[in-house]
Amino acid sequence: MDNDMIRQKAVDTLKLESEAVAKLVSNVNDEFVKVVRCILDCSARVIVTGMGKSGHIARKMAATFASTGTPSFFLHPAEAFHGDLGMVTEKDIVIAISNSGESAETIKILPIIRRIGATIVAMTGGMHSQLAQAADYVIDIGHEKEACPLNLAPTTSTTCTLAMGDALAVAVMSARNFTKQDFAVFHPGGALGRRLLLKVENVMHTDEENPVIAAEQTVKDALFVMTEKGLGAVSVVDADGKFVGLLTDGIVRRALAKDYNFLDKTVGSIMFAEPLTIAKNKMATEALSVMEKHKPRPVTVLPVLEDGKPIGMVHLTDLLKQGVV
């Protein structure tokens, strides 16, 4: 087979599968809506099962449901017949997937699921199959020609099942008004979770790590604090511990270029009296945005205030390390 034939075969596969998926639009019918309503009303779990390639799709469906606010897990039909049916309760919904609707392992567990009392949803292309007949609801995944040239390997059928499963999960999450913040709760380890869940208080330097100095102390004293804490800045406070300004290494360098004698001056005489600050309950992403949008140039530190007192400091590098980008 030459290169042109290889490319053509790939193009034919994509066209065949995309056309099959497009035909599924007509299968989003009243029965489909009833399944969505059933899932929304379910007080337990959505259990997805299937054998072989259908099992792989079932695993993905369960994962998608779980990550979008619907408690769900995959049940292997063969393992189910040997004890795992104990995972199923009468309040659960079981979505059974089989392209033909005649997969022996899947069909075998249906009577037990029925006896337990769980609701059965079939996803199949065999609308008159044993699976369809045994189910409470049936979602038609179509019955198109497989992209496999032998019309044997599950290709078009698995693509259609996957697409219909995604349609079902998205319809459910939309009906739940599932938000980005909700999504982040189930993905705390991912970049989105960090961006949407991480607050300033989770990344700020506090207590002994928080650089603070009194306004009447000298710039030399401030340099020692700045060096010890390693954040390149110190929050300046008055006699009552209230925040009155910020001294940064940038201010010190610019003063140093003009006059060496400034080191004995008070911090209050050269500090920046109106710096940007932030509250601890703000999102870390907001802190990053404040830093980046500062004019004429971005800043790298933000004092964190509570009741007018500096309780911490956020540094740009800490935000970057946490993946808040």
Side-chain angles (χ1 to χ4, degrees):
M1 180 180 290
D2 60 27
N3 291 344
D4 289 339
M5 292 179 66
I6 291 173
R7 282 192 289 269
Q8 188 58 53
K9 182 55 65 176
V11 169
D12 290 344
T13 299
L14 293 172
K15 285 184 176 180
L16 185 63
E17 294 195 0
S18 63
E19 289 169 0
V21 170
K23 291 180 181 179
L24 292 178
V25 172
S26 61
N27 294 351
V28 181
N29 49 26
D30 290 343
E31 187 85 344
F32 182 94
V33 174
K34 288 178 182 178
V35 174
V36 171
R37 294 294 181 191
C38 186
I39 294 173
L40 291 172
D41 293 337
C42 180
S43 61
R45 295 84 46 86
V46 172
I47 302 169
V48 194
T49 187
M51 195 68 192
K53 303 301 185 294
S54 292
H56 296 311
I57 301 302
R59 286 181 186 274
K60 193 274 180 187
M61 276 186 61
T64 300
F65 273 122
S67 68
T68 54
T70 300
S72 181
F73 65 87
F74 168 74
L75 177 66
H76 194 292
E79 295 294 341
F81 202 69
H82 292 277
D84 282 1
L85 276 167
M87 300 177 182
V88 183
T89 73
E90 62 180 4
K91 295 181 179 180
D92 293 325
I93 296 172
V94 177
I95 300 179
I97 302 174
S98 171
N99 181 42
S100 66
E102 301 293 347
S103 298
E105 295 86 353
T106 302
I107 298 302
K108 191 184 296 185
I109 63 175
L110 296 180
I112 299 93
I113 294 174
R114 176 64 67 202
R115 186 182 306 165
I116 292 170
T119 300
I120 300 174
V121 176
M123 288 187 68
T124 181
M127 298 303 289
H128 302 290
S129 63
Q130 293 185 67
L131 175 58
Q133 296 300 318
D136 297 293
Y137 303 98
V138 182
I139 293 178
D140 186 0
I141 59 172
H143 195 67
E144 301 297 318
K145 180 179 182 298
E146 300 287 4
C148 164
L150 302 177
N151 196 30
L152 295 175
T155 45
T156 305
S157 59
T158 48
T159 300
C160 286
T161 308
L162 178 63
M164 191 60 94
D166 285 343
L168 187 61
V170 170
V172 170
M173 70 179 287
S174 298
R176 291 191 196 281
N177 295 316
F178 194 80
T179 66
K180 287 184 178 180
Q181 286 71 27
D182 296 324
F183 187 87
V185 169
F186 300 115
H187 298 75
L192 178 63
R194 289 191 294 273
R195 289 198 298 271
L196 295 180
L197 296 178
L198 209 63
K199 292 188 175 182
V200 167
E201 61 184 332
N202 302 130
V203 295
M204 69 182 186
H205 295 266
T206 60
D207 301 325
E208 293 301 317
E209 295 182 3
N210 181 28
V212 178
I213 196 166
E216 66 269 15
Q217 290 185 260
T218 67
V219 175
K220 185 186 298 183
D221 294 328
L223 281 175
F224 284 123
V225 175
M226 204 180 297
T227 301
E228 179 188 356
K229 306 303 181 183
L231 297 180
V234 289
S235 294
V236 185
V237 297
D238 61 16
D240 296 321
K242 296 289 187 177
F243 180 80
V244 293
L246 183 72
L247 183 65
T248 67
D249 55 6
I251 294 174
V252 173
R253 286 195 302 271
R254 287 190 289 275
L256 187 61
K258 298 177 181 178
D259 181 13
Y260 284 100
N261 296 325
F262 81 96
L263 292 174
D264 293 321
K265 293 182 178 180
T266 63
V267 172
S269 66
I270 71 166
M271 70 181 186
F272 183 32
E274 297 181 352
L276 297 172
T277 62
I278 198 164
K280 69 176 184 179
N281 62 345
K282 296 295 185 180
M283 303 306 297
T285 50
E286 184 174 340
L288 180 63
S289 177
V290 169
M291 290 179 179
E292 291 178 335
K293 292 179 179 178
H294 179 258
K295 302 296 182 182
R297 65 177 66 87
V299 297
T300 58
V301 294
L302 284 179
V304 184
L305 304 188
E306 185 174 62
D307 297 327
K309 295 183 178 181
I311 61 169
M313 186 173 286
V314 178
H315 196 282
L316 177 63
T317 56
D318 298 311
L319 297 174
L320 297 178
K321 286 178 182 178
Q322 291 291 338
V324 185
V325 292

PDB file of all heavy atoms in Angstrom, residues 160-178:
ATOM      1  N   CYS A 160     -19.205   6.069  18.403  1.00  0.00           N
ATOM      2  CA  CYS A 160     -20.582   6.524  18.628  1.00  0.00           C
ATOM      3  C   CYS A 160     -20.986   6.373  20.092  1.00  0.00           C
ATOM      4  O   CYS A 160     -21.642   7.252  20.664  1.00  0.00           O
ATOM      5  CB  CYS A 160     -21.544   5.740  17.747  1.00  0.00           C
ATOM      6  SG  CYS A 160     -21.479   6.200  15.994  1.00  0.00           S
ATOM      7  N   THR A 161     -20.582   5.273  20.700  1.00  0.00           N
ATOM      8  CA  THR A 161     -20.908   5.059  22.109  1.00  0.00           C
ATOM      9  C   THR A 161     -20.234   6.107  22.976  1.00  0.00           C
ATOM     10  O   THR A 161     -20.840   6.665  23.898  1.00  0.00           O
ATOM     11  CB  THR A 161     -20.462   3.657  22.558  1.00  0.00           C
ATOM     12  OG1 THR A 161     -20.989   2.672  21.663  1.00  0.00           O
ATOM     13  CG2 THR A 161     -20.940   3.365  23.973  1.00  0.00           C
ATOM     14  N   LEU A 162     -18.972   6.381  22.681  1.00  0.00           N
ATOM     15  CA  LEU A 162     -18.229   7.392  23.435  1.00  0.00           C
ATOM     16  C   LEU A 162     -18.883   8.762  23.295  1.00  0.00           C
ATOM     17  O   LEU A 162     -19.064   9.488  24.284  1.00  0.00           O
ATOM     18  CB  LEU A 162     -16.783   7.446  22.940  1.00  0.00           C
ATOM     19  CG  LEU A 162     -15.871   8.485  23.594  1.00  0.00           C
ATOM     20  CD1 LEU A 162     -15.715   8.198  25.084  1.00  0.00           C
ATOM     21  CD2 LEU A 162     -14.510   8.489  22.914  1.00  0.00           C
ATOM     22  N   ALA A 163     -19.257   9.108  22.070  1.00  0.00           N
ATOM     23  CA  ALA A 163     -19.882  10.410  21.824  1.00  0.00           C
ATOM     24  C   ALA A 163     -21.227  10.524  22.538  1.00  0.00           C
ATOM     25  O   ALA A 163     -21.541  11.552  23.144  1.00  0.00           O
ATOM     26  CB  ALA A 163     -20.064  10.621  20.320  1.00  0.00           C
ATOM     27  N   MET A 164     -22.019   9.460  22.496  1.00  0.00           N
ATOM     28  CA  MET A 164     -23.314   9.492  23.163  1.00  0.00           C
ATOM     29  C   MET A 164     -23.138   9.544  24.680  1.00  0.00           C
ATOM     30  O   MET A 164     -23.907  10.208  25.398  1.00  0.00           O
ATOM     31  CB  MET A 164     -24.150   8.288  22.760  1.00  0.00           C
ATOM     32  CG  MET A 164     -25.603   8.390  23.192  1.00  0.00           C
ATOM     33  SD  MET A 164     -26.465   9.818  22.488  1.00  0.00           S
ATOM     34  CE  MET A 164     -27.214   9.087  21.026  1.00  0.00           C
ATOM     35  N   GLY A 165     -22.112   8.875  25.167  1.00  0.00           N
ATOM     36  CA  GLY A 165     -21.822   8.940  26.595  1.00  0.00           C
ATOM     37  C   GLY A 165     -21.433  10.345  27.019  1.00  0.00           C
ATOM     38  O   GLY A 165     -21.861  10.835  28.073  1.00  0.00           O
ATOM     39  N   ASP A 166     -20.632  10.996  26.202  1.00  0.00           N
ATOM     40  CA  ASP A 166     -20.255  12.383  26.491  1.00  0.00           C
ATOM     41  C   ASP A 166     -21.482  13.289  26.457  1.00  0.00           C
ATOM     42  O   ASP A 166     -21.634  14.186  27.293  1.00  0.00           O
ATOM     43  CB  ASP A 166     -19.225  12.881  25.474  1.00  0.00           C
ATOM     44  CG  ASP A 166     -17.835  12.320  25.712  1.00  0.00           C
ATOM     45  OD1 ASP A 166     -17.585  11.806  26.826  1.00  0.00           O
ATOM     46  OD2 ASP A 166     -16.991  12.393  24.799  1.00  0.00           O
ATOM     47  N   ALA A 167     -22.359  13.052  25.484  1.00  0.00           N
ATOM     48  CA  ALA A 167     -23.579  13.849  25.383  1.00  0.00           C
ATOM     49  C   ALA A 167     -24.431  13.693  26.641  1.00  0.00           C
ATOM     50  O   ALA A 167     -24.984  14.673  27.164  1.00  0.00           O
ATOM     51  CB  ALA A 167     -24.384  13.420  24.149  1.00  0.00           C
ATOM     52  N   LEU A 168     -24.498  12.483  27.145  1.00  0.00           N
ATOM     53  CA  LEU A 168     -25.273  12.215  28.350  1.00  0.00           C
ATOM     54  C   LEU A 168     -24.653  12.914  29.565  1.00  0.00           C
ATOM     55  O   LEU A 168     -25.342  13.585  30.339  1.00  0.00           O
ATOM     56  CB  LEU A 168     -25.341  10.704  28.589  1.00  0.00           C
ATOM     57  CG  LEU A 168     -26.248  10.208  29.718  1.00  0.00           C
ATOM     58  CD1 LEU A 168     -27.687  10.605  29.466  1.00  0.00           C
ATOM     59  CD2 LEU A 168     -26.119   8.692  29.849  1.00  0.00           C
ATOM     60  N   ALA A 169     -23.335  12.783  29.716  1.00  0.00           N
ATOM     61  CA  ALA A 169     -22.653  13.395  30.860  1.00  0.00           C
ATOM     62  C   ALA A 169     -22.741  14.918  30.816  1.00  0.00           C
ATOM     63  O   ALA A 169     -22.960  15.565  31.851  1.00  0.00           O
ATOM     64  CB  ALA A 169     -21.192  12.952  30.885  1.00  0.00           C
ATOM     65  N   VAL A 170     -22.571  15.493  29.633  1.00  0.00           N
ATOM     66  CA  VAL A 170     -22.629  16.953  29.507  1.00  0.00           C
ATOM     67  C   VAL A 170     -24.033  17.473  29.770  1.00  0.00           C
ATOM     68  O   VAL A 170     -24.219  18.518  30.404  1.00  0.00           O
ATOM     69  CB  VAL A 170     -22.133  17.395  28.109  1.00  0.00           C
ATOM     70  CG1 VAL A 170     -22.417  18.876  27.874  1.00  0.00           C
ATOM     71  CG2 VAL A 170     -20.638  17.123  27.969  1.00  0.00           C
ATOM     72  N   ALA A 171     -25.034  16.740  29.293  1.00  0.00           N
ATOM     73  CA  ALA A 171     -26.423  17.143  29.546  1.00  0.00           C
ATOM     74  C   ALA A 171     -26.713  17.128  31.043  1.00  0.00           C
ATOM     75  O   ALA A 171     -27.366  18.039  31.579  1.00  0.00           O
ATOM     76  CB  ALA A 171     -27.382  16.214  28.805  1.00  0.00           C
ATOM     77  N   VAL A 172     -26.212  16.120  31.744  1.00  0.00           N
ATOM     78  CA  VAL A 172     -26.429  16.013  33.191  1.00  0.00           C
ATOM     79  C   VAL A 172     -25.706  17.135  33.929  1.00  0.00           C
ATOM     80  O   VAL A 172     -26.288  17.799  34.796  1.00  0.00           O
ATOM     81  CB  VAL A 172     -25.957  14.640  33.715  1.00  0.00           C
ATOM     82  CG1 VAL A 172     -25.956  14.612  35.242  1.00  0.00           C
ATOM     83  CG2 VAL A 172     -26.856  13.530  33.178  1.00  0.00           C
ATOM     84  N   MET A 173     -24.425  17.364  33.594  1.00  0.00           N
ATOM     85  CA  MET A 173     -23.676  18.400  34.307  1.00  0.00           C
ATOM     86  C   MET A 173     -24.241  19.784  34.039  1.00  0.00           C
ATOM     87  O   MET A 173     -24.235  20.651  34.912  1.00  0.00           O
ATOM     88  CB  MET A 173     -22.183  18.339  33.952  1.00  0.00           C
ATOM     89  CG  MET A 173     -21.824  18.764  32.556  1.00  0.00           C
ATOM     90  SD  MET A 173     -20.030  18.699  32.236  1.00  0.00           S
ATOM     91  CE  MET A 173     -19.458  20.112  33.190  1.00  0.00           C
ATOM     92  N   SER A 174     -24.765  19.992  32.836  1.00  0.00           N
ATOM     93  CA  SER A 174     -25.374  21.284  32.514  1.00  0.00           C
ATOM     94  C   SER A 174     -26.654  21.485  33.305  1.00  0.00           C
ATOM     95  O   SER A 174     -26.924  22.579  33.811  1.00  0.00           O
ATOM     96  CB  SER A 174     -25.660  21.368  31.014  1.00  0.00           C
ATOM     97  OG  SER A 174     -24.464  21.283  30.261  1.00  0.00           O
ATOM     98  N   ALA A 175     -27.431  20.420  33.431  1.00  0.00           N
ATOM     99  CA  ALA A 175     -28.674  20.506  34.204  1.00  0.00           C
ATOM    100  C   ALA A 175     -28.390  20.743  35.684  1.00  0.00           C
ATOM    101  O   ALA A 175     -29.193  21.342  36.391  1.00  0.00           O
ATOM    102  CB  ALA A 175     -29.487  19.226  34.030  1.00  0.00           C
ATOM    103  N   ARG A 176     -27.238  20.290  36.156  1.00  0.00           N
ATOM    104  CA  ARG A 176     -26.838  20.507  37.551  1.00  0.00           C
ATOM    105  C   ARG A 176     -26.237  21.903  37.755  1.00  0.00           C
ATOM    106  O   ARG A 176     -25.921  22.281  38.879  1.00  0.00           O
ATOM    107  CB  ARG A 176     -25.778  19.481  37.980  1.00  0.00           C
ATOM    108  CG  ARG A 176     -26.242  18.061  38.107  1.00  0.00           C
ATOM    109  CD  ARG A 176     -25.146  17.241  38.792  1.00  0.00           C
ATOM    110  NE  ARG A 176     -25.337  15.825  38.628  1.00  0.00           N
ATOM    111  CZ  ARG A 176     -26.199  15.102  39.338  1.00  0.00           C
ATOM    112  NH1 ARG A 176     -26.948  15.683  40.234  1.00  0.00           N
ATOM    113  NH2 ARG A 176     -26.299  13.793  39.130  1.00  0.00           N
ATOM    114  N   ASN A 177     -26.038  22.659  36.669  1.00  0.00           N
ATOM    115  CA  ASN A 177     -25.340  23.947  36.742  1.00  0.00           C
ATOM    116  C   ASN A 177     -23.944  23.768  37.327  1.00  0.00           C
ATOM    117  O   ASN A 177     -23.484  24.553  38.168  1.00  0.00           O
ATOM    118  CB  ASN A 177     -26.137  24.956  37.580  1.00  0.00           C
ATOM    119  CG  ASN A 177     -27.465  25.319  36.937  1.00  0.00           C
ATOM    120  OD1 ASN A 177     -27.533  25.552  35.736  1.00  0.00           O
ATOM    121  ND2 ASN A 177     -28.529  25.355  37.741  1.00  0.00           N
ATOM    122  N   PHE A 178     -23.277  22.733  36.877  1.00  0.00           N
ATOM    123  CA  PHE A 178     -21.926  22.398  37.339  1.00  0.00           C
ATOM    124  C   PHE A 178     -20.954  23.465  36.847  1.00  0.00           C
ATOM    125  O   PHE A 178     -20.873  23.751  35.654  1.00  0.00           O
ATOM    126  CB  PHE A 178     -21.539  21.026  36.779  1.00  0.00           C
ATOM    127  CG  PHE A 178     -20.339  20.396  37.414  1.00  0.00           C
ATOM    128  CD1 PHE A 178     -20.446  19.752  38.637  1.00  0.00           C
ATOM    129  CD2 PHE A 178     -19.103  20.437  36.800  1.00  0.00           C
ATOM    130  CE1 PHE A 178     -19.351  19.154  39.228  1.00  0.00           C
ATOM    131  CE2 PHE A 178     -17.996  19.839  37.375  1.00  0.00           C
ATOM    132  CZ  PHE A 178     -18.128  19.193  38.596  1.00  0.00           C
TER     133      PHE A 178
END
